[in-house]
Amino acid sequence: MLNNYLIAHPEVLEELQSCQTPLRLVQGATVLVVQGEKLARSDDINGAVEKFGKAQQWDNKLKFDSQTRAKELANQAKVESQPNSL
């Protein structure tokens, strides 16, 4: 139960260093990426970059440019929210 909580709440896991196992960090990184994507889609580029950066620290297999990814998602969200003009 605690394991699932820590993974779902990476900000808590970050504070509890004694609970930071390699597996929890990798699983928490996935949650951070999802959180970052939501922030980017809400046009919070800086917040997204921060989440992506932390995720990449926790899982070194995550290879993408945080700034570029955040801007792409923000732009995509803007396009998708525009009404279709045919």
Side-chain angles (χ1 to χ4, degrees):
M1 183 98 140
L2 178 61
N3 188 52
N4 292 339
Y5 181 83
L6 291 173
I7 292 165
H9 299 89
E11 59 283 349
V12 176
L13 179 58
E14 184 174 14
E15 292 177 18
L16 300 174
Q17 291 188 0
S18 62
C19 295
Q20 294 178 4
T21 64
L23 179 60
R24 279 190 191 132
L25 289 175
V26 168
Q27 291 172 326
T30 302
V31 175
L32 286 168
V33 169
V34 171
Q35 290 175 346
E37 289 173 346
K38 287 180 182 177
L39 289 171
R41 288 188 184 102
S42 299
D43 207 28
D44 182 354
I45 303 295
N46 293 333
V49 168
E50 188 177 322
K51 295 282 186 183
F52 291 155
K54 178 58 70 179
Q56 289 174 323
Q57 287 176 12
W58 287 5
D59 183 354
N60 61 10
K61 293 184 179 122
L62 295 174
K63 305 286 184 197
F64 57 88
D65 182 273
S66 298
Q67 190 78 29
T68 301
R69 179 82 176 127
K71 287 180 180 178
E72 286 172 352
L73 288 166
N75 289 335
Q76 181 182 354
K78 287 176 189 172
V79 170
E80 289 173 358
S81 68
Q82 292 178 354
N84 291 337
S85 55
L86 297 174

